[in-house]
């Protein structure tokens, strides 16, 4: 018997040793390093990756929509987020985009919303109502509007780039 701990709980593996030849068993996949409990717990690592969702407007992205989606996903991965969903707003359907975005981010327990640029929000400004609940990250320019911070946080430039 072996016990494995992961972010959602424990997994107990037992083998009776009398499985038939057609026993297919089961498959478990997880990312990161882990170790059975009780064997070498010093190597056991439980990694929590915060959740992010993407948001874009079809009228702003236009023919670059797939490119924008790819850039959102790449930035999420580079910043260490678990990317959960892409909320795509098409103004011809007339539903309020911010309400849907906030509802989906809340439902997925997201910590961040990633957008191609501030132009994807009404008036080309990141809504303060959104920043009250979530970090908002723009791909271009790369900036983070952190919860509780008024202005965006820009990536630090190395002395060579100044």
């Amino acid at each position: 018997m072996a016990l494995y701990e992961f972010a959602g709980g424990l997994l107990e593996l037992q083998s009776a040793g009398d499985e038939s030849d057609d026993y297919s068993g089961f498959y478990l996949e997880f990312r990161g390093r882990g170790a059975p409990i009780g064997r070498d717990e010093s190597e056991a690592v439980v990694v929590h990756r915060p959740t992010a969702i993407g948001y874009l407007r079809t009228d702003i992205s236009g023919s670059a929509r797939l490119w924008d989606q790819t850039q959102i996903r790449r930035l999420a991965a580079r910043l260490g987020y678990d990317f959960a969903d892409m909320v795509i707003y098409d103004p011809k359907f007339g539903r309020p985009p911010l309400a849907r975005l906030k509802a989906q981010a809340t439902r997925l327990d997201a910590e961040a919303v990633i957008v191609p640029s501030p132009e994807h929000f009404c008036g080309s400004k990141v809504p303060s109502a959104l920043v009250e609940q979530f970090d908002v990250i723009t791909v271009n320019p790369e900036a983070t509007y952190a919860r509780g911070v008024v202005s965006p946080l820009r990536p630090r430039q190395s002395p060579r780039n100044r």
Side-chain angles (χ1 to χ4, degrees), residues 110-131:
E111 294 186 26
V113 174
I114 304 176
V115 297
S117 67
E119 286 74 30
H120 287 259
F121 294 111
C122 185
S124 297
K125 290 186 174 185
V126 175
S128 59
L130 191 61
V131 178

Side-chain angles (χ1 to χ4, degrees), residues 25-48:
F26 59 90
Y27 176 75
L28 172 67
E29 180 178 329
F30 65 96
R31 299 179 195 264
R33 294 180 349 160
I37 295 174
R39 293 200 182 157
D40 188 0
E41 291 183 24
S42 65
E43 291 185 27
V45 177
V46 177
V47 178
H48 167 74

Side-chain angles (χ1 to χ4, degrees), residues 4-104:
Y4 291 86
E5 187 173 22
F6 59 96
L10 294 173
L11 172 65
E12 181 179 327
L13 301 178
Q14 294 183 357
S15 174
D18 59 354
E19 290 85 10
S20 65
D21 291 337
D22 62 345
Y23 175 73
S24 59
F26 59 90
Y27 176 75
L28 172 67
E29 180 178 329
F30 65 96
R31 299 179 195 264
R33 294 180 349 160
I37 295 174
R39 293 200 182 157
D40 188 0
E41 291 183 24
S42 65
E43 291 185 27
V45 177
V46 177
V47 178
H48 167 74
R49 291 178 33 190
T51 301
I53 66 170
Y55 172 74
L56 63 82
R57 288 177 45 166
T58 58
D59 60 326
I60 304 296
S61 287
S63 62
R65 178 176 157 185
L66 292 177
W67 173 254
D68 285 345
Q69 289 180 22
T70 300
Q71 294 306 306
I72 288 170
R73 290 176 193 277
R74 282 185 181 159
L75 183 58
R78 185 168 60 81
L79 296 177
Y81 286 99
D82 179 18
F83 188 81
D85 193 17
M86 182 75 66
V87 175
I88 299 172
Y89 173 65
D90 189 339
K92 69 182 174 188
F93 293 113
R95 293 179 298 200
L98 195 55
R100 180 173 167 236
L101 176 60
K102 287 173 73 174
Q104 185 67 352

